[in-house]
Amino acid sequence: MPVVATKAIVFSSIKYGDTSLIVKCFTEQEGLKTYMVRGVLKSKKGKLKAAYFQPLTLLQLTANHNTRGTLNSIKEARVFPMYETIHTSIVKQTIVLFISEILSNIIQEEEQNEILYNYIETSLIWLDTHSSTANFHLLFLLNLSRFLGFYPDTSNEESFGFSLLEGSFTNKSYDKSVITGDNFLLFKRLLGINFDAIDIISFNKKERQKVLQVIIRYFELHLEGFKKPKSLDVLESVFS
C-alpha cells in the first residue's frame, strides 16, 4: 500500500459510527480520495483532530492510498496554511459551505489535476485574506467552469443575448436557454475578470441572486447529474 505525502482540500466529512469520520478530500497528487479516520471524535490525544476536517480546510497529509478501491487512511495531517478569518466570519463560512457542497458534487476524478487544485487553493486563500467577498462565490463558480471545460466563449460580445446551452453570445432570443436583458447584462459583468477586480462589481441583493441563478442553471446544463445545492437557501438568507 503506497504512502503518499500530498496537499489536500477537505470537501466533506460524514460521521461514521460514534467515533469515526469518512472524509472526502481533493488531493494535489491523486485527485479525489476518501479516507476513514477512525476514533477521531473520541480521542483527545490522537495526532488527528476532528477540527482538521471542516469543509475546505487546507491540509498537508501523509496517507496510505489503496489501489483496491477500499477506503484510504491518514497517517498524519496538519492544517497548512491556517485560515485567519474564514472561521470567524458567518458570511465566509456560508460561502465555504456552499462551495464545498458544489465541489463535492462535481469533482469525482481520482487522478492528478494540479491546475484545478491550485485554482481552488489560491481562491480560498484569497477569500481568507480579503474583506470584499460578497460576490466571491459568483466569480469562483464562473471561473471554475474554465477548468471543467465550459467557460463562456466571449467572442461576439456585441450580441444582445447569451446561450447558456451553447456557452456563447447570440442573438437567438427565441431560444429558451438564452438570457437577455438584465440577467444578460449582470452575467456579462463577471466575464473575464479575476478576484482582484471583484471590487469593481457592485451587485445589490436581488442582482446577486439573479446572477447566481443564472450560473447554477449554466452548471445544470453542462454537468450531467449536477444537483442544486441544499446550502443555496442558507447562502441567500445570509446575503439578504
Side-chain angles (χ1 to χ4, degrees):
M1 184 186 304
V3 175
V4 178
T6 182
K7 294 201 285 183
I9 301 165
V10 178
F11 277 3
S12 66
S13 62
I14 299 165
K15 194 175 172 189
Y16 181 79
D18 291 332
T19 62
S20 302
L21 290 172
I22 293 176
V23 179
K24 200 152 68 159
C25 291
F26 187 52
T27 70
E28 184 183 39
Q29 297 295 323
E30 297 188 3
L32 195 71
K33 290 288 172 194
T34 306
Y35 301 97
M36 170 69 79
V37 189
R38 294 189 186 280
V40 70
L41 300 176
K42 174 185 67 174
S43 164
K44 298 274 191 292
K45 294 177 184 156
K47 285 187 201 165
L48 302 177
K49 309 273 186 285
Y52 294 177
F53 305 109
Q54 302 289 334
L56 301 191
T57 301
L58 302 175
L59 297 174
Q60 298 268 9
L61 293 183
T62 307
N64 293 320
H65 283 178
N66 299 321
T67 49
R68 293 192 304 278
T70 50
L71 289 175
N72 306 286
S73 60
I74 295 172
K75 294 179 73 168
E76 291 175 7
R78 69 186 182 102
V79 178
F80 183 82
M82 288 182 91
Y83 294 136
E84 291 171 23
T85 65
I86 283 176
H87 298 312
T88 55
S89 159
I90 294 289
V91 170
K92 289 184 182 183
Q93 278 185 327
T94 308
I95 289 172
V96 156
L97 281 173
F98 173 72
I99 287 172
S100 68
E101 189 184 348
I102 286 185
L103 291 172
S104 286
N105 179 351
I106 63 178
I107 296 177
Q108 305 295 341
E109 61 267 306
E110 291 194 27
E111 58 204 39
Q112 187 180 48
N113 188 339
E114 213 171 328
I115 299 170
L116 176 57
Y117 184 93
N118 289 339
Y119 170 69
I120 299 170
E121 180 188 66
T122 308
S123 303
L124 291 169
I125 292 168
W126 191 95
L127 175 66
D128 186 52
T129 52
H130 289 76
S131 51
S132 297
T133 56
N135 298 320
F136 172 88
H137 55 297
L138 305 176
L139 192 54
F140 177 85
L141 289 181
L142 190 58
N143 287 348
L144 179 66
S145 71
R146 192 186 297 282
F147 302 91
L148 304 173
F150 58 93
Y151 188 78
D153 174 358
T154 52
S155 50
N156 302 323
E157 266 194 285
E158 67 289 343
S159 306
F160 57 74
F162 180 82
S163 167
L164 294 173
L165 188 60
E166 290 169 11
S168 57
F169 289 99
T170 181
N171 289 324
K172 296 185 205 160
S173 55
Y174 54 84
D175 187 324
K176 272 201 305 209
S177 78
V178 171
I179 53 167
T180 55
D182 281 354
N183 282 358
F184 169 64
L185 294 172
L186 294 169
F187 180 71
K188 196 174 173 182
R189 277 159 67 186
L190 280 175
L191 291 173
I193 68 164
N194 61 20
F195 290 119
D196 290 331
I198 210 167
D199 284 354
I200 61 172
I201 306 170
S202 55
F203 291 138
N204 63 33
K205 177 187 76 180
K206 202 165 186 183
E207 289 171 338
R208 195 175 293 118
Q209 282 184 342
K210 274 185 179 176
V211 176
L212 184 55
Q213 282 162 2
V214 167
I215 294 171
I216 296 278
R217 182 73 189 122
Y218 189 49
F219 272 62
E220 283 174 335
L221 287 168
H222 289 269
L223 292 170
E224 201 177 329
F226 179 81
K227 296 191 281 287
K228 200 170 278 188
K230 293 182 180 131
S231 51
L232 188 59
D233 295 344
V234 182
L235 186 78
E236 292 189 340
S237 68
V238 163
F239 282 116
S240 63

